[in-house]
Structure formats: C-alpha cells, structure tokens
Amino acid sequence: MRLPPATGRVVRNALLGILGAQLGAAGVLVAADNVRKHRAGPARFPRSAVTQARADDDLVSVYSYGEDLYNDMLTAIRRAKHTIFFETFIWKNDPIGQDFKQALIEAANRGVAVYIVYDQFANMVVRPSFFRFPDNIHVKRHPLVQSVAFWNLRNSGRDHRKILVVDSRVAFMGGYNIGSRYARTWRDTHARFEGPSVADFENAFVDYWNLRPVHLLSSQRSSMPELPDTSQRRWDGSVRLSRNTPRWAVFPIRNMYLEAIDKAQRNIWLTSAYLIPDDDLRTALARAAQRGVDVRIIVPAQSNHVIADWLSRGYYTGLLRDGIRLFLFHNAMVHAKTATIDGHWSTIGTANIDRLSLAGNYEVNAEITSPQVATALERIFLTDQSNCTEMDLARWERRSIVAKGTEWLLAPWRPLF
C-alpha cells in the first residue's frame, strides 16, 4: 500500500530524526570515551601464570598475559626448521610487531617456508610499508573488499582469526592480536597446542589460504601458490576445531556454544569482550540458569569499543532477571573469548558473542573436552573475577533515565555488531 505524500514525508522525517539522534548519541559517547581513555591510569589486573594441562594426547598451555605468549611464539618462530603458518587480525607496527616481522624474515632467510595472512581492514591505520616482505615470504592480505557483491555475508566477512603453526609440531590460537599494547595492558586468553590437534590447526590455515573467493578484486587470485592438504588428521580426540567460514556459508561456533550450554548441569563460566547475544543464545543461558546452573559472565566494565559497550548493556536487565550473574572487569580491557562448563568442557578461540563473530567473520574456536583444561580455565576465571564488580539487578535498574534512553536509542544497531 502506498502512503499519501504527506504521511510519507512525516515517516521519512521521523526516520531521519531518529538516525540523527542515534548518530549524535554515538558521537557524544565516542568523544566522552576518548576523554576517559586519555585520563585513565595504567592498566592493573591480577596475572595468572601459564598453565599446562592434558587433553588426552594433546598438551595444552593456557596464556592469560600477552608478554608470556609473545615470548613463546617468538621462540617457536626462531626455532622453526621447515614451515611457519602465521595468521592475525591486527598487527601493529610497534616494537612487538616489528619483533614478529623480523623473526619471520630471519626464518625465511634460513630456508623456512613462511606463509603470512593478515586482514587489510583491521590494519588500515598501519603504514602499508610495514607489510612489505622479501620475495621469499608468501603473504596473503584478506582484502578490504572481496567482491562487488559486498552486501553478501559470504563476501564481507573479516579474517578475525589468530593462528600460528610451526613445523607441524606446535600451534598457537586465541584472542591475542600482535602489538605492544596487548603485551601488558590487555587481559586476553590464548593457547598453545602440542599433539595430534596441531594437524587440525594447520588444516584450518591451509583451507583458508587455498580459498579463492569469487570476483576477488585483487591480484592475489593468480599469485598465491596453493598449499597441499594436511594429512594424518584424527577423527577422535579431545581437541576439536570449529571454524566459521563465510565463503562456505558455514558458521558452526554458534551451534557449538548452544549445544554446550544446553548440556550444562553445574556451571557455565563465560568471558566475552563484546556481549551482544542473539535471542537463541540469551534463551539458552536463561534456561540453564532456571534449571539451577551457575551461569556467570565476565565482561569489560569499559571496552575499547564504547558503542559495543552500550549495545551490550541493553541486555543486562534481561540477563540479570533470568538469574545470570554479570561481572564487570576493571582497570584493563578483557578481550578473552572463553567458556568452561561443568568442569569438563571448555572453549578458547577468536569468536566473540556477537553477530560479527558468530555469523559474519572468519573465526576459529577450539572445543576441548578435558577436566584438566576446564580446571585451568576455572582458576583463571576466578582470578579474573577477583578484579570484577558484580552487577546486581537492583543497582542496575537505578541507572539514569539518560542511560536507559541511550540504550533504547542505539538498540536498532545491535544487528550490525
């Protein structure tokens, strides 16, 4: 049905007014957050030591401090003899980023086959010259635009994965990007794997490297050498990978979470940098809490993306009313993407609990069935919880009318995050 011209103008003006208010609110929030960051003191949070645990035939080392992780990743690169597969989302041109670049160049110069993947969009603020490498290194840039049909999710996902595989012997994967700011001032989680699961991490890299997106707007299509398929992957094992691959229209990480939450009987302890769950995830968590499961979620009190914070806060009332306990992490950005359930099941990965990660980006999560790994993650969770303030429903509902109005105004943006 066609609206009368006068009615159409009213609707159009109302929509433009709402959009203007949303953009104005977002501008104010970003400006205020920039002032806060400028005035903020040094990051402070309790530090957990690197923890090793068995998952059947795999040895899993869990890192929750960037400096520890980077030291071990650089050591692995410097000891490499045959191959290095390195994939990252953000790679800063700073002392840590330069250490990684130099180590990779030195490895190639001594005869190691080095393959690098990085995301162009995530590194737009990095000087392009930083990503120039010698000809003996193979580099694939996940392009800013993959296809003229950029509105199709199969063509628009970012490469949000962080993987390092050395000599088919050791693999690193988790939430840490590469940069000096993450070494001491961010709380994130990464893991090192040694054992049969390394073949799966290598396969994840190889499969992405060999993808040839349709209508790729880049010379990379003809210049990238294909890698051979990984052999000797196991059907069983306590470490399994879930990979979101937009090119294949496959997004299993969301289902991995839903299945695990649905099985929970004792506890679900989840850490999320950006908590913007869809209706099914919210319902699954609520049902778990209603059947007596101890559901706890750690989120940053203030993340590095203020708009994501305000979109996330719009869910707090419902989560708290459902009996889910929320803990706000202070004095540092918590960027981890982890969960542990019933002292038995755990996940460490790159995917956030939001639409971009669960139904948009290239992501990878390790699903680990191991009481030892679960115990390690529970200990880290409790250490992080000691740096949190728990939000209770009564206090949350006393927030200002301006805060409630801002959450309501920005709520339509949730599908974009």
Side-chain angles (χ1 to χ4, degrees), residues 254-269:
R254 177 177 175 274
N255 189 61
M256 176 200 75
Y257 268 108
L258 287 169
E259 287 288 338
I261 291 168
D262 194 46
K263 290 179 182 177
Q265 300 176 31
R266 190 187 79 191
N267 71 299
I268 300 169
W269 292 358

Side-chain angles (χ1 to χ4, degrees), residues 77-145:
I77 291 170
R78 289 166 181 153
R79 292 178 178 173
K81 297 179 180 179
H82 307 294
T83 56
I84 296 173
F85 298 147
F86 178 69
E87 181 176 359
T88 189
F89 182 58
I90 295 173
W91 190 353
K92 297 291 189 183
N93 180 9
D94 58 22
I96 293 292
Q98 291 162 9
D99 284 347
F100 272 83
K101 181 176 181 179
Q102 186 60 33
L104 291 164
I105 291 173
E106 290 172 358
N109 288 342
R110 64 177 183 267
V112 177
V114 177
Y115 294 81
I116 295 173
V117 174
Y118 71 93
D119 187 275
Q120 184 180 15
F121 174 80
N123 295 285
M124 288 181 66
V125 298
V126 179
R127 185 173 298 177
S129 61
F130 176 72
F131 293 106
R132 294 185 191 134
F133 287 86
D135 292 340
N136 59 353
I137 293 180
H138 305 285
V139 181
K140 182 173 184 177
R141 183 187 70 244
H142 188 85
L144 185 65
V145 178

Side-chain angles (χ1 to χ4, degrees), residues 7-8 39 85 134 136 147 244 255 267 282 288 350-351 359 386:
T7 304
R39 294 177 177 175
F85 298 147
N136 59 353
S147 167
N244 285 357
N255 189 61
N267 71 299
R282 289 172 58 198
T350 69
S386 72

Side-chain angles (χ1 to χ4, degrees), residues 292-304:
V293 177
D294 173 19
V295 183
R296 307 183 194 183
I297 305 175
I298 291 177
V299 295
Q302 293 158 324
S303 80
N304 61 320

Side-chain angles (χ1 to χ4, degrees), residues 119-372:
D119 187 275
Q120 184 180 15
F121 174 80
N123 295 285
M124 288 181 66
V125 298
V126 179
R127 185 173 298 177
S129 61
F130 176 72
F131 293 106
R132 294 185 191 134
F133 287 86
D135 292 340
N136 59 353
I137 293 180
H138 305 285
V139 181
K140 182 173 184 177
R141 183 187 70 244
H142 188 85
L144 185 65
V145 178
Q146 300 174 66
S147 167
V148 291
F150 59 85
W151 56 86
N152 187 327
L153 283 178
R154 294 182 66 179
N155 301 317
S156 62
R158 307 315 318 162
D159 182 11
H160 194 242
R161 310 192 316 175
K162 299 95 176 171
I163 298 173
L164 171 65
V165 183
V166 177
D167 289 344
S168 303
R169 180 184 59 82
V170 59
F172 296 82
M173 186 276 297
Y176 276 101
N177 293 294
I178 304 300
S180 297
R181 75 181 297 195
Y182 315 118
R184 300 183 185 90
T185 64
W186 278 35
R187 216 332 256 128
D188 211 330
T189 301
H190 225 82
R192 169 185 170 127
F193 300 84
E194 298 172 86
S197 69
V198 174
D200 290 309
F201 288 99
E202 185 169 81
N203 181 73
F205 183 94
V206 167
D207 280 350
Y208 172 80
W209 183 272
N210 290 340
L211 281 179
R212 296 293 183 265
V214 179
H215 307 306
L216 183 65
L217 301 182
S218 170
S219 61
Q220 296 179 52
R221 170 181 286 194
S222 59
S223 64
M224 289 294 103
E226 284 218 351
L227 287 167
D229 286 340
T230 307
S231 61
Q232 298 184 359
R233 294 170 61 205
R234 289 173 46 164
W235 285 102
D236 57 352
S238 293
V239 179
R240 296 172 298 279
L241 296 194
S242 292
R243 292 182 280 157
N244 285 357
T245 308
R247 178 69 185 86
W248 296 341
V250 170
F251 300 95
I253 296 176
R254 177 177 175 274
N255 189 61
M256 176 200 75
Y257 268 108
L258 287 169
E259 287 288 338
I261 291 168
D262 194 46
K263 290 179 182 177
Q265 300 176 31
R266 190 187 79 191
N267 71 299
I268 300 169
W269 292 358
L270 188 153
T271 303
S272 180
Y274 315 108
L275 181 65
I276 308 175
D278 61 34
D279 288 343
D280 292 331
L281 280 164
R282 289 172 58 198
T283 299
L285 289 168
R287 286 177 174 167
Q290 289 162 9
R291 65 177 181 265
V293 177
D294 173 19
V295 183
R296 307 183 194 183
I297 305 175
I298 291 177
V299 295
Q302 293 158 324
S303 80
N304 61 320
H305 293 303
V306 65
I307 302 302
D309 289 345
W310 281 86
L311 296 176
S312 177
R313 289 167 189 164
Y315 293 102
Y316 287 7
T317 299
L319 293 171
L320 291 168
R321 286 177 177 170
D322 288 330
I324 295 164
R325 299 175 67 185
L326 292 176
F327 296 86
L328 310 185
F329 191 87
H330 291 287
N331 302 319
M333 170 61 186
V334 59
H335 191 249
K337 304 96 169 55
T338 61
T340 184
I341 296 178
D342 288 354
H344 186 72
W345 179 95
S346 304
T347 186
I348 300 171
T350 69
N352 298 303
I353 306 297
D354 59 23
R355 188 207 65 84
L356 286 176
S357 280
L358 298 184
N361 291 334
Y362 292 84
E363 306 278 3
V364 58
N365 269 55
E367 183 180 11
I368 308 166
T369 306
S370 162
Q372 287 190 28

